[in-house]
Amino acid sequence: MIVFKENPDSEEGISRILNSVVKQWFFSRFKSFSLPQLFGVLEIHSRKNLLVSAPTGATKTLTGFLSILNELVDSAGKGLLMDKVYCVYISPLKALNNDIEKNLKEPLAEIERIAGKKLGIRIAVRTGDTTTAEKAKMLRKPPHILITTPESLAIVLSSYRFVENLKEVEWCVVDEVHALADNKRGTHLALSLERLQALSPAMCRIGLSATIAPLEEMAKFLVGLEGISDGAGSRDDSYRDCVVADVQFVKKMDLKVLSPVADLIDTEHGKMHAAMYELIDSLIQSHRTTLIFTNTRSATERVIHYLKEKFPKSYLAEEQSIGAHHGSLSKAHRHALEKSLREGKLKAVVSSTSLELGIDIGYIDLVILLGSPKSVARAIQRIGRSGHKLQETSMGRIVVLDRDDLVECAVILKSAVERKIDRIHIPKGCLDVLAQQIFGIAISRKIHEKELFALVRGAYPYENLSYRDFKDVIDYLSGKHVSLEDRHIYAKIWHDEETGMIGRRGKMSRVIYMTNIGTIPDETFITVKVGEQVIGKIDEAFLERLRHGDVFVLGGEKYEFLHSKGTVAYVNASVYRAPTIPSWFSEMLPLSFDLAMDIGRFRRLVEEKFNHNKPKDEVISFINEYLYADANAASSIYEYFREQYLYAEIPHDKKIVVETYSDRGRHYAVFHALFGRRVNDCLSRAVAFAIGRTQHRDVDIGINDNGFFVSYEKGVNVMAAFSLLKSEKLDLVLSSAIDKTEVLRRRFRHCAGRALMILREYMGRRKHVGRQQTSSMILLSAVKRISNDFPILKEARREVLEDLMDIESTRAVLKGIEEGKIRLKLVNSGNIPSPFAFNIALQGYTDVMRIEDKTEFLRRMHKAVMERIKGKA
């Protein structure tokens, strides 16, 4: 049962359970217990599973460890400390692990000084960077607290010698659980936790999470299920007990949305650009240390470059230095920058997403977000990096440069203030991860298939796993599909169908497992060629988005995508159409569905004011109160919505506006479907597929968070195609739509790698990504011949449709249309798109236009719209 704790415990209650030495140490460092500690310490002391949800800097880590350190110190003082692992601490980042080791060893050293003796409590980090000598030392003297990552935990669970030290683990702490749950690393970890629980049935699970929703689902993910009965599918299941301490908003937050100029549409680019950097500089100079978040790595480098160029005295001077931090930089560079931050040597740091998690980066008093963070949870997580201590105020400023961003960020601010957090997506039933973990379990011991099935279904992501899918994975692993041996896919386990027993097969099994474990796929750049001539490189995530015939820009020139082979994309250089995929597309964060619906709801409320002819001051007053916006922001939003209302229709959560217009002989149908990019990816692909199947025409599609467009020359009925989409047939349509796409081919390689069909490393040799991709394309054809529902192919489809895209929310949208809850309204805009369509109409041109020309283009379109509105009046 999941129980939300409503009231904190008393300080006296916690003090009573603390060892006198620990108590003396604690009150030498802190005046009193923090709110998370008042909610959590006694629960952990009582061995209850606990999820603590609190902002960055809210003492979550000490909450998780205070009871544990207390008991270890108590046992050590009484001479009862045994040579075993008492606590396993898991985090997604190696850097965070190193921070935790330091933050535990320092208090222990202070506690030993107070106690006047060595306590002998051992702490060790085990990750992929741990040396053989250090691992051997851990075997001889196991750490009492083992700090590790999800991947290294899976390895030690299959290590026949070290696993003996995990048989009586008392606590398992999962830090930054929100950063693991929404991807396959979390799925992998959920299975490892079930394996660890099987070894240590009395183990207490402790989850530490930043702001996240829904907390009940996160608690279920953390603790899993127990009481699952037989393997035939019937069960009397229940979630393990878990106490949820929801102290998400204990920190004060000072949040504002800022625009560098009063008019976001009629200001020249040069002026806006200069005003933005002057605003950023003034914010940096008025604070001690500023952390700036962009949404892409390229934007991070660009911001650093412009600040140094425009303000050389400020950012090229040694004492006012500025640095960049993102995943493409070397580990040494990132570590050096983190160290400089902790030591207060940097005035500002610009990051993409790499500093979102709780690495210790010292004192930050301001966070600036350049553009929308696309979700409320991410906004709070990023802004929470400032004012790191619990009693300090987190200060965040979101800088916006266009009107869509202004509306989006204003709604994010409202949701943050009102504690409305968008829901996390947890992948369910991942068959590739299941195959890898079953292989690991078979290596560690013989097990009956029904016991194995029960263990797997104890993990929350597999609670609804069907026995058929489970058996299909067993059949693949045990080599039942003999034809795969032609592709060098051999049996990895043995399975006795009469007894139901499963075990490892072959002397190389352990080595293969240990050297290929993990869920993060190898990524590489793709070489772009015209014939045999190399044009340049694109990243793999961008290639995933390309369909045959798509046009993109590379090195200032347009190219038409033909096909790919391995790590080479072949293109045609003779192209006269506008680009269909902007170069930045793969880097952009998608807008969350919940936030999109909140923006749609706000649009609807404003439209109702216009429908009732409310005066301007009343509408602006409503916007100001609803969004907590300042006068400038409220006025800009009013003008933007008013122009759309007078020119066409305002789309919202209950109305999809389909806008048609023509441009230079080409026709466009823009679906103003404000549901986020993951939903619009589904809808646009389904529409394009329906047109191809029923009208035998090829069309171009483009998507963003606010909608999608279908572009064609003539003879296409887009509305007829859209009307064919039905919620109950959506799986079938989209499965067919992605069947021969790059995205499915690439994702199949990722899944085949996780399922160990394709080995990244074998006999000490590394297989590079190009060979992996070539192997996977051959393998894809082979498994299709076996079955279109071969488990790893089935998983690749699921990953594309559920994790990369959002088929569930798309189905809900179509159901809303079918039930009349969402209306479709067709409008014709002639040859000038409506204000809400500007950004999506411009999307194809962003790579062939200079930014100045783009701004001028928007200004001209806006002027034409205003003239037509005046003509109507």
Side-chain angles (χ1 to χ4, degrees):
M1 183 183 293
I2 311 298
V3 178
F4 282 77
K5 187 167 183 173
E6 294 183 4
N7 299 307
D9 296 311
S10 67
E11 295 222 2
E12 296 77 22
I14 299 176
S15 293
R16 271 198 302 271
I17 63 114
L18 291 182
N19 177 284
S20 59
V21 179
V22 175
K23 188 189 299 185
Q24 194 177 335
W25 165 79
F26 184 87
F27 287 110
S28 70
R29 293 278 302 271
F30 308 98
K31 291 179 181 177
S32 61
F33 295 108
S34 68
L35 196 55
Q37 288 158 8
L38 293 174
F39 269 91
V41 170
L42 281 180
E43 302 297 342
I44 298 169
H45 177 74
S46 303
R47 297 296 201 279
K48 291 180 181 176
N49 295 325
L50 174 73
L51 174 64
V52 180
S53 179
T56 305
T59 70
K60 290 192 296 291
T61 306
L62 187 54
T63 300
F65 273 115
L66 189 56
S67 277
I68 297 167
L69 284 175
N70 183 61
E71 297 212 21
L72 291 178
V73 169
D74 201 51
S75 296
K78 294 172 182 175
L80 300 174
L81 206 59
M82 294 187 287
D83 281 342
K84 67 164 194 170
V85 176
Y86 283 84
C87 171
V88 176
Y89 168 91
I90 303 154
S91 92
L93 297 176
K94 292 176 186 176
L96 191 51
N97 284 340
N98 295 328
D99 275 354
I100 293 296
E101 181 186 28
K102 174 174 160 285
N103 293 339
L104 286 176
K105 284 186 173 178
E106 285 177 3
L108 276 174
E110 291 169 9
I111 288 168
E112 286 180 338
R113 277 198 298 274
I114 293 168
K117 62 178 180 179
K118 290 285 183 184
L119 296 172
I121 297 171
R122 295 186 296 274
I123 298 166
V125 175
R126 179 160 178 158
T127 68
D129 296 337
T130 306
T131 65
T132 305
E134 288 169 324
K135 290 175 185 175
K137 186 180 175 183
M138 286 183 212
L139 272 175
R140 290 192 302 273
K141 285 282 185 182
H144 299 113
I145 298 177
L146 174 66
I147 299 169
T148 189
T149 59
E151 293 77 13
S152 292
L153 175 63
I155 286 173
V156 296
L157 284 168
S158 296
S159 302
Y160 64 93
R161 292 173 66 193
F162 193 86
V163 77
E164 292 299 313
N165 299 313
L166 299 175
K167 287 194 172 173
E168 291 180 23
V169 171
E170 297 186 29
W171 303 277
C172 179
V173 181
V174 184
D175 204 352
E176 306 284 0
V177 63
H178 62 284
L180 288 165
D182 69 349
N183 56 68
K184 288 189 175 182
R185 287 186 82 198
T187 309
H188 195 269
L189 174 62
L191 286 169
S192 290
L193 290 177
E194 291 305 314
R195 294 172 65 185
L196 187 57
Q197 192 89 47
L199 291 168
S200 304
M203 182 181 77
C204 164
R205 302 190 193 191
I206 302 151
L208 309 177
S209 173
T211 306
I212 204 70
L215 275 175
E216 186 171 357
E217 187 175 16
M218 189 58 65
K220 291 173 182 177
F221 171 83
L222 173 69
V223 299
L225 299 91
E226 62 184 352
I228 297 175
S229 58
D230 62 60
S234 63
R235 59 181 178 171
D236 175 21
D237 60 359
S238 61
Y239 298 103
R240 293 185 179 93
D241 290 341
C242 185
V243 176
V244 178
D246 181 11
V247 280
Q248 287 185 23
F249 294 90
V250 292
K251 283 181 76 175
K252 292 178 183 173
M253 301 188 87
D254 176 357
L255 310 176
K256 285 181 185 171
V257 177
L258 304 176
S259 170
V261 293
D263 190 333
L264 287 168
I265 190 72
D266 272 332
T267 304
E268 290 178 9
H269 171 262
K271 289 181 181 176
M272 190 184 295
H273 190 261
M276 181 184 79
Y277 281 101
E278 282 164 12
L279 172 62
I280 293 169
D281 178 60
S282 68
L283 288 169
I284 292 171
Q285 298 308 328
S286 60
H287 292 83
R288 197 172 105 190
T289 309
T290 301
L291 175 57
I292 302 170
F293 280 104
T294 68
N295 286 341
T296 66
R297 295 173 183 181
S298 56
T300 296
E301 295 291 351
R302 195 164 59 244
V303 170
I304 292 273
H305 170 74
Y306 277 120
L307 283 172
K308 286 181 175 178
E309 188 179 68
K310 288 178 180 289
F311 309 100
K313 289 182 181 177
S314 294
Y315 303 109
L316 293 177
E318 191 64 36
E319 68 277 4
Q320 293 270 29
S321 54
I322 187 169
H325 192 289
H326 57 72
S328 295
L329 296 168
S330 71
K331 184 166 71 174
H333 175 96
R334 295 198 309 271
H335 286 182
L337 185 133
E338 290 158 18
K339 185 171 182 287
S340 295
L341 254 180
R342 282 193 292 271
E343 293 170 355
K345 293 179 180 177
L346 291 176
K347 186 70 177 169
V349 170
V350 187
S351 171
S352 51
T353 59
S354 53
L355 287 179
E356 283 182 357
L357 296 184
I359 305 167
D360 180 15
I361 53 173
Y363 181 81
I364 303 286
D365 58 343
L366 174 68
V367 169
I368 299 173
L369 309 186
L370 297 183
S372 170
K374 298 295 180 181
S375 85
V376 182
R378 188 178 290 110
I380 292 172
Q381 174 80 1
R382 288 179 171 185
I383 293 165
R385 299 314 311 262
S386 69
H388 199 75
K389 291 182 180 174
L390 186 59
Q391 65 273 22
E392 293 170 355
T393 299
S394 289
M395 185 176 289
R397 300 290 182 261
I398 309 178
V399 178
V400 298
L401 289 179
D402 74 45
R403 299 190 294 181
D404 282 332
D405 247 14
L406 174 61
V407 176
E408 197 171 292
C409 292
V411 174
I412 285 176
L413 190 96
K414 173 186 171 65
S415 298
V417 169
E418 296 181 355
R419 309 184 181 192
K420 281 184 67 179
I421 309 300
D422 16 42
R423 292 168 298 163
I424 192 170
H425 166 73
I426 298 176
K428 299 284 180 70
C430 309
L431 302 180
D432 51 351
V433 175
L434 178 62
Q436 186 181 126
Q437 283 277 21
I438 288 176
F439 186 28
I441 293 166
I443 286 167
S444 60
R445 64 185 175 117
K446 294 176 185 175
I447 186 171
H448 194 279
E449 63 183 71
K450 289 190 176 179
E451 182 190 348
L452 177 59
F453 185 59
L455 184 148
V456 167
R457 286 227 298 189
Y460 175 69
Y462 294 96
E463 63 171 336
N464 295 316
L465 178 72
S466 72
Y467 201 66
R468 178 181 172 181
D469 282 344
F470 171 76
K471 284 285 286 180
D472 284 347
V473 171
I474 297 288
D475 288 347
Y476 145 62
L477 288 171
S478 59
K480 196 166 185 179
H481 306 293
V482 181
S483 62
L484 288 178
E485 291 188 4
D486 295 339
R487 302 267 61 86
H488 308 291
I489 311 295
Y490 302 105
K492 294 172 178 62
I493 64 172
W494 56 259
H495 175 216
D496 187 325
E497 298 207 20
E498 286 188 17
T499 63
M501 295 302 292
I502 290 165
R504 76 184 178 101
R505 183 171 186 160
K507 295 177 182 177
M508 290 292 293
S509 293
R510 192 177 300 277
V511 176
I512 288 171
Y513 178 73
M514 300 295 186
T515 53
N516 289 277
I517 197 169
T519 60
I520 302 170
D522 290 342
E523 296 282 356
T524 189
F525 283 102
I526 304 297
T527 302
V528 179
K529 289 184 176 182
V530 174
E532 291 305 311
Q533 182 187 354
V534 175
I535 302 301
K537 292 181 182 294
I538 56 175
D539 67 55
E540 217 178 352
F542 183 68
L543 178 67
E544 276 190 352
R545 296 287 176 180
L546 296 178
R547 302 177 308 142
H548 176 78
D550 271 334
V551 178
F552 64 97
V553 173
L554 185 60
E557 300 294 332
K558 292 186 290 184
Y559 298 98
E560 180 186 27
F561 176 66
L562 301 175
H563 65 275
S564 74
K565 184 176 181 181
T567 53
V568 178
Y570 292 94
V571 298
N572 170 28
S574 302
V575 187
Y576 305 99
R577 292 182 291 125
T580 55
I581 308 284
S583 62
W584 44 259
F585 191 80
S586 61
E587 288 190 4
M588 287 300 289
L589 298 165
L591 181 70
S592 74
F593 182 70
D594 290 346
L595 181 55
M597 294 302 285
D598 282 343
I599 298 167
R601 193 173 299 113
F602 168 65
R603 284 181 174 184
R604 174 162 48 87
L605 293 172
V606 174
E607 185 193 49
E608 286 172 5
K609 300 285 182 192
F610 290 150
N611 286 340
H612 290 91
N613 296 315
K614 298 293 181 184
K616 179 178 179 177
D617 59 347
E618 186 179 328
V619 180
I620 287 180
S621 176
F622 165 75
I623 294 170
N624 201 352
E625 290 170 13
Y626 188 85
L627 294 180
Y628 311 97
D630 64 17
N632 274 350
S635 179
S636 290
I637 292 168
Y638 170 84
E639 295 298 341
Y640 186 32
F641 280 30
R642 183 72 177 165
E643 288 163 19
Q644 178 69 23
Y645 180 78
L646 293 173
Y647 189 80
E649 292 249 355
I650 293 179
H652 49 65
D653 59 330
K654 304 289 186 188
K655 177 173 63 176
I656 297 173
V657 173
V658 185
E659 175 184 352
T660 60
Y661 70 93
S662 301
D663 180 25
R664 286 170 288 188
R666 198 155 179 87
H667 304 283
Y668 292 83
V670 176
F671 285 76
H672 291 274
L674 178 53
F675 303 117
R677 195 170 80 220
R678 293 172 65 223
V679 169
N680 289 330
D681 206 347
C682 288
L683 287 173
S684 60
R685 285 177 188 270
V687 169
F689 179 75
I691 290 169
R693 275 294 175 90
T694 61
Q695 300 175 35
H696 312 292
R697 298 275 184 172
D698 285 331
V699 295
D700 290 336
I701 55 176
I703 67 169
N704 68 13
D705 288 314
N706 293 351
F708 64 93
F709 71 74
V710 180
S711 167
Y712 49 93
E713 288 183 352
K714 59 181 178 179
V716 171
N717 188 332
V718 178
M719 295 303 289
F722 190 86
S723 69
L724 295 173
L725 305 184
K726 304 298 177 190
S727 57
E728 72 274 8
K729 299 284 187 183
L730 188 62
D731 294 74
L732 186 62
V733 170
L734 282 174
S735 292
S736 301
I738 65 166
D739 190 49
K740 294 177 181 175
T741 59
E742 278 301 322
V743 66
L744 184 65
R745 292 190 194 106
R746 298 278 151 186
R747 294 297 169 133
F748 177 76
R749 187 195 88 224
H750 297 176
C751 295
R754 291 188 200 101
L756 309 183
M757 294 184 85
I758 296 171
L759 302 180
R760 291 175 292 181
E761 198 167 307
Y762 184 66
M763 302 288 281
R765 298 173 71 177
R766 189 90 180 170
K767 182 185 271 192
H768 67 76
V769 178
R771 285 193 61 203
Q772 288 180 38
Q773 185 62 36
T774 303
S775 300
S776 79
M777 290 173 77
I778 298 167
L779 194 54
L780 182 58
S781 300
V783 300
K784 280 183 175 178
R785 284 195 294 272
I786 293 169
S787 167
N788 213 30
D789 271 341
F790 187 84
I792 311 308
L793 174 57
K794 187 175 181 178
E795 172 55 26
R797 285 197 202 98
R798 190 212 62 79
E799 182 179 320
V800 171
L801 297 179
E802 293 182 17
D803 301 345
L804 181 64
M805 302 178 197
D806 185 358
I807 192 171
E808 283 308 311
S809 297
T810 308
R811 190 179 287 110
V813 169
L814 290 178
K815 208 165 183 62
I817 293 169
E818 289 159 8
E819 293 172 354
K821 294 175 182 175
I822 299 175
R823 293 184 292 127
L824 285 177
K825 186 67 185 285
L826 187 64
V827 297
N828 189 313
S829 296
N831 59 354
I832 303 168
S834 71
F836 277 21
F838 283 3
N839 278 336
I840 198 162
L842 188 63
Q843 188 167 286
Y845 299 98
T846 51
D847 288 330
V848 290
M849 276 185 174
R850 292 183 309 154
I851 190 74
E852 297 89 339
D853 296 337
K854 173 189 169 184
T855 308
E856 185 54 37
F857 178 74
L858 286 171
R859 289 172 67 199
R860 282 203 314 272
M861 284 212 295
H862 180 248
K863 188 177 179 182
V865 164
M866 295 308 293
E867 285 174 359
R868 190 177 291 184
I869 288 172
K870 285 176 187 173
K872 285 182 181 179

